[in-house]
Amino acid sequence: MTTTWRHLPAPAREIAQAATEAVGAAQDREAGAYQPAVERLAAADRAGLVLGGVVRLLLEEGHPDGLDGDDVRQVLERCVRSAAWRPDVDPHVLLVLLAGALGVYDPGDDDAPPDPAAIARHAPLLVADLLAATGRPLADYLSAAFAEVARTELHD
């Protein structure tokens, strides 16, 4: 990992390190490295919030004119195909991640909302897939997502 994240508080640093490891393992399709990184991510409080911010930023950059239903379907299909190395990939969880990042998901309307462990297993797969289109490092998006979380907390 090239970014140390020393400037972040310990909980945020844990999210950054676990996310970096999990996304890296997803990009390399390393099942042995993926599982422990995902477990660390699942144990990190608010990791879903940060990764949701990363997904939103990646979607905004990849679709500057906005997303429509076809765009979401294409992202979902591409991600499911690229994550086929994981036998436990659930398209519903990926769709929840996409909808959540776009602010259109209400867990109260979902008969089977994914648990934090499922979110942690799937978010790095989605991030890795979206990163493939940008050519930029995950650290840039993590930094932006942490800054956004900090701004939101400051104003609440």
Side-chain angles (χ1 to χ4, degrees), residues 29 74 76-85 89 94 129:
R29 296 181 175 174
Q74 288 173 354
L76 181 62
E77 288 175 355
R78 188 186 66 228
C79 183
V80 169
R81 279 194 304 275
S82 71
W85 61 278
V89 171
L94 291 169
D129 182 70

Side-chain angles (χ1 to χ4, degrees), residues 13-19 21 35-45 47 120:
R13 197 168 43 246
E14 176 63 15
I15 292 169
Q17 291 169 341
E21 290 172 15
Q35 191 58 39
V38 164
E39 288 171 6
R40 275 181 69 195
L41 201 54
D45 188 37

Side-chain angles (χ1 to χ4, degrees), residues 34-35 38 83-91 93 117-118 121-122 125:
Y34 190 73
Q35 191 58 39
V38 164
W85 61 278
R86 296 284 308 166
D88 59 348
V89 171
D90 183 345
V93 177
R121 276 192 315 275
H122 288 76
L125 298 171

Side-chain angles (χ1 to χ4, degrees), residues 83-138:
W85 61 278
R86 296 284 308 166
D88 59 348
V89 171
D90 183 345
H92 174 73
V93 177
L94 291 169
L95 181 60
V96 165
L97 288 167
L98 285 167
L102 296 170
V104 295
Y105 176 71
D106 181 0
D109 294 339
D110 191 342
D111 292 337
D115 62 15
I119 296 294
R121 276 192 315 275
H122 288 76
L125 298 171
L126 180 57
V127 170
D129 182 70
L130 292 169
L131 277 172
T134 69
R136 289 180 48 204
L138 172 62

